């Protein structure tokens, strides 16, 4: 459950960068990190500002957001590890930000599980086209050894 909150929280923060909902996101994240003291809050605010500027200047803003996602997931994981009580505040913040994001920027999370030699072909907001080789042909699941 906590891993999902971290993923959704990080995804929501980076989704808000360079959008009209950024002010709410930035302020909420800064408040979360206030628990670590003023110096850490100031450092997080600077990091947020720098990251948002990277997204705003980028030719491919989505690529930059995806690159920043692991950073914010680590930051949130670290914060929640120290201050588990921040989870409810993070949950409320992500809901508030999501309400303000344009529909095209709404964060989406997809979980896929394959077991027992199963395969998953999945896409979120796109297409997956798979051309498996028929059984018995080279590379196919039924290929002779």
């Amino acid at each position: 459950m906590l891993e999902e909150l971290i993923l959704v929280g990080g995804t929501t923060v980076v989704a808000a960068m360079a959008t009209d909902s950024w002010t709410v996101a930035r302020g909420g994240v800064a408040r979360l990190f206030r628990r670590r003291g003023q110096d850490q809050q100031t450092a997080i605010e600077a990091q947020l500002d720098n990251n948002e500027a990277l997204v705003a200047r980028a030719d491919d803003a989505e690529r930059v957001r995806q690159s920043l996602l692991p950073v914010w997931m680590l930051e949130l994981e670290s914060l929640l590890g120290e201050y588990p009580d921040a989870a409810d505040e993070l949950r409320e913040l992500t809901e508030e930000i999501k309400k303000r994001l344009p529909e095209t920027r709404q964060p989406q999370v997809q979980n896929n599980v394959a077991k027992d030699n199963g395969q998953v072909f999945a896409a979120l907001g796109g297409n997956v086209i798979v051309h498996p080789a028929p059984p018995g042909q080279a590379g196919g699941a039924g290929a002779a050894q």
Side-chain angles (χ1 to χ4, degrees):
M1 185 79 168
L2 196 56
E3 292 86 14
E4 185 177 334
L5 176 59
I6 291 165
L7 175 60
V8 171
T11 303
T12 304
V13 169
V14 298
M17 291 178 178
T19 70
D20 291 340
S21 59
W22 179 240
T23 303
V24 171
R26 183 192 182 281
V29 172
R31 276 190 305 279
L32 279 170
F33 282 86
R34 183 180 302 153
R35 290 167 168 81
R36 289 185 170 164
Q38 185 60 45
D39 289 345
Q40 278 294 306
Q41 181 182 353
T42 301
I44 284 293
E45 289 172 338
Q47 183 177 345
L48 287 164
D49 292 341
N50 289 333
N51 290 173
E52 193 269 343
L54 282 172
V55 172
R57 288 191 312 260
D59 291 332
D60 186 352
E62 191 54 36
R63 184 184 67 77
V64 176
R65 285 184 178 99
Q66 290 303 312
S67 297
L68 293 171
L69 177 57
V71 172
W72 283 102
M73 287 177 62
L74 286 171
E75 291 286 4
L76 293 172
E77 180 181 14
S78 174
L79 180 74
L80 294 179
E82 282 181 70
Y83 302 97
D85 62 305
D88 288 337
E89 188 177 345
L90 176 58
R91 197 172 287 111
E92 290 171 14
L93 176 62
T94 58
E95 290 304 315
E96 179 64 28
I97 296 168
K98 284 195 283 188
K99 287 181 201 173
R100 296 169 180 268
L101 284 172
E103 189 173 320
T104 58
R105 294 280 354 122
Q106 292 288 328
Q108 299 173 341
V109 176
Q110 176 177 341
N111 297 311
N112 302 295
V113 178
K115 294 182 179 183
D116 301 324
N117 294 317
Q119 295 179 340
V120 173
F121 302 96
L124 189 61
N127 297 318
V128 174
I129 300 171
V130 179
H131 299 284
Q137 290 188 359
Q145 298 293 328

